[in-house]
Amino acid sequence: MNDIFSFYQLISRYKIEIPIIQRDYAQGRAGSKAEDVRKSIVSKLIEAAKGEGEVFFDFVYGRIDRDVFIPFDGQQRLTTLYLFYRFLYEKAVPQTDKEESLKDELQIFSRFTYSTRQSSREFCEQLAVNPIIPENPETTISNYIQNQPWFFPDWGNDPTVMGMMTMFDEINKQFKKVESFDYEGAITKLTSGWKNPITFHFVDMGEHKMSDTTYIKMNARGKALTSFENFKASLEEYLKSKDPDLCNRFIGEGDKANSIDRNWLDRCYELANLANSSGKVLPDNLMYSLFRRYFYNLWLLKEKDNEDEKDKSISENLKQSVKEDDFVPFETYEKVFEECGDVECLIPLFDLFDKLTKLTNKQGTLNEEFLRSMIPSWEKPEITTDHVLLKDTQTNQIVYWAVCKYFEEIDKTKQNFDETKFKQWMRVVWNIAIDPSVRSIDAVVSAMKKLNDLNLDATNVYKYLSDNPYTLPKDPSSTDKRLWEESMKAKLIWQDKDLEQKFIAAEKHWLFKGRIIVLLEDLIDPQFDLGKFRERRVVVYKYFNDECKEELPTEWIRASLALDDNLKCDDEMRFEQDRFNHWNDLINETLTEGARKMLDRLSGKQPDKYGEELENICKEYCKEYKYGAKTDWKYLLIKYKDLFELWKDVGDNHMRVKKYGNKYYWFYKKNRNGRDVPLASVEGRTRQENTGTFELYDEQIVQDTIKTYKGAFLSNGWCLDFDFENDCIVFAKQSELYKVAFSKKGDVYQMGVSVKDKDDEGGNIGSTIPGELKEIAPDWNVDDVNLSENDIKTKINKLLECSQE
């Protein structure tokens, strides 16, 4: 990390030694150009010392040897600051007892020295113990110093010494023009660690593991090397020591047409521009991101093999570097090399970089065809900022690993890049990686590791999956199920190549995104029924059309429930109002059997008849249903479509059926003031009789609840809620400033009013009905203490009727 320092902070913490390799002090040289620079710098420093501006001197680089800081870059600026501070310190010393006071104040300047020449070093030593400002204002500092007994005439031949005195003269000259300058106040500002007006970035190259030769690569502007430039320089040196040929490929020496400073960075620049990143993605940052993500994936796969023996900080460093453009010590990457096959592990990444370039008439251009082959079928074939090489997401992390995996395979087998085989590999990987359940780094690693451990032949994935069918484990994960499906489809494609495009045509639908088990699972044996598959696919495209993305239909859920004879709800079943994540799982897993039968019932019918047919399916089921000793939990869900309609009116994201004991309950969730609040929840309760809950086999309660809910959420912001924790039925204003509650006391209810101030987190029990509520419910009275459920129902219904008028 780069730290902001003032000169005082730096010299207080470290001795400063200008190394022998540095040039003489140049800002005190003769000549018009040097004079202009000198005047400008001193003028800005004085303004900052007066409190009328700030000066930021960019970056100061160097290495710390014990308690000595040796600057490699910033020598000129540090020397100027040293002279400026030295002048101010002497000017700030009180005139009374000046000689003794000055010796004490100047001690800090003994921590600054030059190693370029002995004369420079000795001159600095004298500046730390002797006064330099003449009493006669007409005398220049340089003349005064040269007439002091401690000044050796030979020092006049040292350009650094002469340059320092010239700078002293300029500082003194400009301060004479400033009226009533507060030297003591200036010293206070410039020695403060808070809002110091003169600062710079201090970079310890040793702390950042930067080699001395890295300094040679630093740009001439005095700017800090970027994280990528540091990494690139360190990697070059490391490769030189490990594999000179690979290093030559990296830096482009010899006959290598591609390299990091030739085509690779050029392609990153073109890729960022092609994606319309509007400057958000810089080529250096993009290239560095691809390196970092690659190293992170390598480490994650190795780390999980024997995680107790690995240094966890490596994973954290790499994870941090993927998310932020922050410096990571190169020893982190060295550790990855040690564990993952040394520098040879870079070959697949270099191959990928080479492939980004398409040679046309010996001129390199971006290989857009290659980039588009990484885009899944359900996305437009356009290169955007969401591209797997540009955006680091959990899904893209898996796909990026797979891209590099392909190049690793062709390198091992000495094959050439095959565009068709690469596209097939990408299709299989995307169909697995898009899995909505992969939402954590552990899930990402699990998916990558599962694919990696299978030793899938990325260069011919269809043949591999056909010859090695994937067997589902006893307790399969979502990734297992997707792998099994891809294995099944690969076998069919291997038998009939034309099926690939037919499968892709189904996989690209927004509801499926690669997973189409509902269309084909029962059609495989003994011979694949292509006609039936095509009919189902047609229904999907007609029923789940683009308009459904905005308002998802629910009729198909009720029909699928009705047609699935084996569907069970042993714990709970969720219905989430999501465009893809949950609905993909619902149609391809939870309701697969019923959904498949539903699609078959719609086959051959006109789209305008789909709704009628789905209602017929539900009516047929309800007509045949009879109450029995064993409750069919699906019956009321299928019969009352209003339960699903309420989802649209009051639900926020999901509703669910939950089993408690032998009873089932139906819950909605809504959003009130930004918070998800269950309208009917029995979570946290152990007993089975839950006041206010409606059991799915109690048809009358369902009818009443639908009526109540429908009214409650259309009544000018009032809504009905249930508080099962306190046995309350609550009628509340959505603003939550006040609410009316009917609390159960034994077999009866008592009315109560809770009033809350806008800024009050708690609530106060009110003695009267709120005015707004009183206007539409004049007969309500907080003194009512013996209310039955019918009384409450009557009061609520009356209130709803009044509020809707």
Side-chain angles (χ1 to χ4, degrees):
M1 178 179 291
N2 297 327
D3 293 319
I4 303 297
F5 269 57
S6 68
F7 178 79
Y8 179 80
Q9 287 174 302
L10 183 63
I11 200 171
S12 297
R13 186 176 299 185
Y14 307 109
K15 295 179 180 178
I16 302 174
E17 180 178 319
I18 307 301
I20 196 169
I21 64 171
Q22 292 284 10
R23 58 179 174 163
D24 296 310
Y25 180 54
Q27 291 181 359
R29 291 175 179 171
S32 59
K33 183 177 180 180
E35 183 179 359
D36 289 341
V37 171
R38 189 162 54 246
K39 287 180 178 179
S40 175
I41 292 176
V42 172
S43 174
K44 291 178 181 178
L45 291 176
I46 292 176
E47 288 180 3
K50 289 166 59 180
E52 296 177 0
E54 295 181 353
V55 176
F56 183 66
F57 272 132
D58 285 321
F59 294 85
V60 173
Y61 282 96
R63 188 177 300 280
I64 295 172
D65 184 8
R66 298 181 182 176
D67 67 337
V68 179
F69 173 64
I70 303 172
F72 289 169
D73 185 77
Q75 166 231 353
Q76 302 291 324
R77 286 163 285 157
L78 287 176
T79 303
T80 296
L81 289 173
Y82 159 73
L83 299 173
F84 188 75
Y85 270 70
R86 171 64 183 80
F87 177 88
L88 289 178
Y89 261 70
E90 184 168 338
K91 293 290 286 185
V93 172
Q95 293 302 311
T96 56
D97 198 19
K98 180 176 180 179
E99 185 173 346
E100 287 300 316
S101 299
L102 186 60
K103 288 183 179 180
D104 293 337
E105 293 293 334
L106 295 183
Q107 285 183 6
I108 192 170
F109 295 100
S110 65
R111 297 171 63 81
F112 185 94
T113 189
Y114 263 70
S115 296
T116 53
R117 291 184 176 86
Q118 181 179 352
S119 53
S120 300
R121 181 171 61 255
E122 291 175 346
F123 180 71
C124 290
E125 291 173 355
Q126 292 300 321
L127 292 181
V129 294
N130 293 297
I132 60 169
I133 301 175
E135 293 182 1
N136 184 354
E138 301 299 321
T139 305
T140 63
I141 291 180
S142 58
N143 285 336
Y144 178 79
I145 289 177
Q146 292 179 74
N147 288 319
Q148 298 306 304
W150 50 266
F151 185 87
F152 286 87
D154 287 342
W155 291 357
N157 298 322
D158 186 335
T160 292
V161 172
M162 298 306 294
M164 287 184 175
M165 290 193 293
T166 300
M167 178 58 80
F168 273 137
D169 285 341
E170 182 64 35
I171 294 171
N172 190 33
K173 178 181 177 180
Q174 291 201 31
F175 265 112
K176 287 180 179 180
K177 299 177 183 179
V178 181
E179 296 181 2
S180 303
F181 187 84
D182 182 6
Y183 290 99
E184 291 186 26
I187 290 297
T188 300
K189 288 190 189 79
L190 297 179
T191 57
S192 171
W194 173 249
K195 292 185 177 181
N196 194 304
I198 304 174
T199 56
F200 49 82
H201 266 304
F202 171 67
V203 182
D204 175 11
M205 295 173 69
E207 179 184 351
H208 290 298
K209 309 297 182 185
M210 296 162 63
S211 65
D212 290 350
T213 55
T214 300
Y215 169 65
I216 307 300
K217 296 176 178 290
M218 295 162 75
N219 60 55
R221 297 169 299 153
K223 301 288 185 181
L225 292 175
T226 65
S227 296
F228 176 61
E229 289 169 332
N230 288 322
F231 167 79
K232 185 172 67 170
S234 298
L235 180 59
E236 179 182 335
E237 294 171 26
Y238 187 79
L239 290 177
K240 281 181 181 178
S241 65
K242 294 289 185 177
D243 190 332
D245 290 337
L246 193 60
C247 182
N248 288 339
R249 181 181 179 185
F250 178 64
I251 62 178
E253 293 186 357
D255 60 352
K256 298 297 182 183
N258 291 316
S259 69
I260 194 162
D261 287 322
R262 293 185 185 177
N263 283 327
W264 294 355
L265 273 174
D266 290 341
R267 299 298 82 78
C268 286
Y269 177 79
E270 293 170 8
L271 174 56
N273 283 337
L274 185 64
N276 295 319
S277 63
S278 301
K280 294 180 181 178
V281 182
L282 299 176
D284 282 21
N285 290 348
L286 175 55
M287 176 66 72
Y288 190 29
S289 173
L290 293 173
F291 269 104
R292 294 178 304 179
R293 291 166 63 190
Y294 181 71
F295 278 109
Y296 188 37
N297 280 344
L298 287 178
W299 184 259
L300 284 178
L301 290 172
K302 287 292 182 181
E303 182 187 27
K304 296 298 177 179
D305 287 337
N306 198 0
E307 57 185 2
D308 292 339
E309 298 180 7
K310 297 292 192 295
D311 184 358
K312 291 295 184 181
S313 66
I314 300 296
S315 178
E316 289 303 313
N317 280 344
L318 289 171
K319 181 179 180 181
Q320 182 77 1
S321 73
V322 168
K323 297 298 181 184
E324 299 178 11
D325 185 22
D326 200 0
F327 186 84
V328 175
F330 192 75
E331 64 184 18
T332 297
Y333 302 106
E334 290 179 335
K335 184 67 173 179
V336 178
F337 284 135
E338 293 173 7
E339 297 292 336
C340 302
D342 213 351
V343 294
E344 285 76 15
C345 68
L346 285 174
I347 293 176
L349 186 59
F350 288 2
D351 289 343
L352 166 60
F353 292 153
D354 284 349
K355 193 62 185 175
L356 288 175
T357 296
K358 179 180 180 181
L359 293 177
T360 305
N361 297 325
K362 297 184 179 181
Q363 297 295 318
T365 58
L366 188 64
N367 192 341
E368 296 183 26
E369 293 86 354
F370 172 57
L371 292 168
R372 289 192 180 92
S373 65
M374 301 180 205
I375 301 173
S377 62
W378 49 86
E379 298 290 350
K380 293 180 180 180
E382 299 174 355
I383 301 170
T384 69
T385 52
D386 290 329
H387 191 277
V388 64
L389 297 186
L390 287 168
K391 191 171 185 178
D392 180 24
T393 65
Q394 290 174 340
T395 299
N396 283 357
Q397 187 174 346
I398 299 173
V399 178
Y400 179 60
W401 166 83
V403 171
C404 298
K405 175 72 173 175
Y406 178 85
F407 285 99
E408 179 185 345
E409 291 292 326
I410 63 174
D411 179 66
K412 287 180 180 178
T413 56
K414 306 302 179 183
Q415 299 182 53
N416 294 323
F417 180 87
D418 187 313
E419 184 178 353
T420 298
K421 297 293 176 54
F422 180 73
K423 287 180 178 179
Q424 293 170 352
W425 171 242
M426 285 290 94
R427 171 184 162 268
V428 170
V429 170
W430 265 112
N431 288 351
I432 295 170
I434 195 64
D435 184 358
S437 67
V438 181
R439 297 179 179 176
S440 66
I441 190 60
D442 288 338
V444 168
V445 173
S446 176
M448 287 195 303
K449 187 169 174 56
K450 195 175 291 290
L451 289 168
N452 193 56
D453 291 348
L454 285 173
N455 293 316
L456 294 174
D457 183 0
T459 64
N460 199 344
V461 67
Y462 288 172
K463 185 177 188 305
Y464 180 90
L465 289 173
S466 178
D467 294 343
N468 303 273
Y470 187 73
T471 303
L472 282 173
K474 184 177 180 181
D475 186 20
S477 66
S478 182
T479 300
D480 288 320
K481 295 173 183 177
R482 287 175 177 266
L483 262 171
W484 176 80
E485 179 181 333
E486 292 309 311
S487 176
M488 182 174 59
K489 288 186 288 190
K491 182 178 181 180
L492 292 171
I493 292 172
W494 196 247
Q495 295 169 355
D496 182 355
K497 300 295 189 295
D498 292 339
L499 286 177
E500 180 183 22
Q501 292 305 314
K502 294 177 173 60
F503 288 161
I504 291 175
E507 292 168 353
K508 68 193 300 183
H509 188 275
W510 60 267
L511 179 61
F512 290 148
K513 291 188 179 179
R515 194 179 186 191
I516 57 173
I517 197 67
V518 67
L519 302 182
L520 55 79
E521 184 177 10
D522 64 328
L523 304 180
I524 300 172
D525 297 320
Q527 185 175 353
F528 181 64
D529 189 340
L530 178 59
K532 180 70 73 175
F533 172 82
R534 186 183 289 113
E535 289 174 1
R536 291 173 178 171
R537 188 186 68 195
V538 169
V539 172
V540 167
Y541 269 89
K542 289 182 177 180
Y543 181 65
F544 297 101
N545 53 41
D546 288 343
E547 294 179 2
C548 295
K549 293 181 181 180
E550 302 303 325
E551 186 173 353
L552 293 169
T554 56
E555 298 93 339
W556 77 272
I557 297 181
R558 295 169 51 236
S560 298
L561 287 170
L563 292 170
D564 194 336
D565 299 328
N566 300 312
L567 187 62
K568 296 181 180 179
C569 179
D570 295 326
D571 180 26
E572 76 171 21
M573 185 173 295
R574 288 178 177 265
F575 300 93
E576 299 185 16
Q577 190 162 319
D578 189 280
R579 295 183 183 179
F580 165 67
N581 291 356
H582 177 70
W583 283 54
N584 177 275
D585 184 71
L586 206 60
I587 198 170
N588 277 297
E589 187 166 338
T590 308
L591 302 178
T592 304
E593 181 180 333
R596 188 179 298 123
K597 292 178 179 179
M598 178 268 296
L599 294 175
D600 290 342
R601 285 282 294 265
L602 297 181
S603 295
K605 293 181 171 55
Q606 294 298 316
D608 60 354
K609 299 294 183 182
Y610 285 172
E612 180 182 336
E613 183 62 23
L614 294 175
E615 281 301 319
N616 288 336
I617 293 172
C618 296
K619 290 177 180 178
E620 291 169 8
Y621 174 87
C622 294
K623 184 177 180 180
E624 296 176 1
Y625 177 79
K626 294 181 180 179
Y627 286 100
K630 184 178 180 180
T631 302
D632 187 340
W633 62 274
K634 302 185 298 180
Y635 169 65
L636 295 177
L637 301 182
I638 296 168
K639 181 175 180 179
Y640 291 100
K641 65 178 181 180
D642 281 342
L643 286 174
F644 286 93
E645 292 301 316
L646 285 175
W647 179 6
K648 299 176 184 178
D649 293 335
V650 305
D652 176 41
N653 192 40
H654 84 251
M655 52 187 173
R656 61 194 170 113
V657 177
K658 179 77 174 177
K659 184 178 182 181
Y660 286 91
N662 294 320
K663 299 179 182 180
Y664 294 89
Y665 301 91
W666 184 259
F667 307 122
Y668 296 102
K669 287 190 73 176
K670 70 179 181 64
N671 186 288
R672 180 189 296 168
N673 287 351
R675 295 186 296 111
D676 284 340
V677 181
L679 288 179
S681 173
V682 291
E683 294 179 13
R685 294 297 298 271
T686 55
R687 58 193 182 93
Q688 300 304 317
E689 53 277 7
N690 296 280
T691 306
T693 324
F694 56 95
E695 302 164 4
L696 287 184
Y697 57 76
D698 190 330
E699 191 162 357
Q700 183 60 47
I701 294 180
V702 171
Q703 292 173 343
D704 292 343
T705 304
I706 289 174
K707 178 181 178 182
T708 303
Y709 268 86
K710 271 194 165 183
F713 281 88
L714 296 173
S715 57
N716 300 328
W718 287 88
C719 61
L720 182 67
D721 206 344
F722 297 99
D723 181 359
F724 298 108
E725 192 71 28
N726 301 303
D727 280 329
C728 288
I729 298 175
V730 180
F731 200 65
K733 188 74 174 176
Q734 286 188 4
S735 65
E736 294 191 68
L737 294 181
Y738 48 77
K739 59 178 65 176
V740 178
F742 301 95
S743 304
K744 192 173 185 181
K745 307 294 183 183
D747 295 329
V748 296
Y749 288 83
Q750 179 176 354
M751 182 186 294
V753 179
S754 176
V755 182
K756 184 173 69 173
D757 295 332
K758 289 184 178 180
D759 299 326
D760 184 11
E761 297 256 340
N764 302 313
I765 301 299
S767 58
T768 61
I769 300 292
E772 181 180 345
L773 184 58
K774 192 69 175 176
E775 291 180 5
I776 56 176
D779 60 329
W780 282 26
N781 193 325
V782 292
D783 294 330
D784 292 339
V785 295
N786 295 308
L787 299 172
S788 66
E789 290 188 17
N790 285 333
D791 292 334
I792 295 174
K793 188 179 300 184
T794 300
K795 288 183 177 293
I796 290 177
N797 286 338
K798 185 173 182 180
L799 177 62
L800 293 176
E801 292 172 2
C802 294
S803 64
Q804 293 176 43
E805 292 178 354

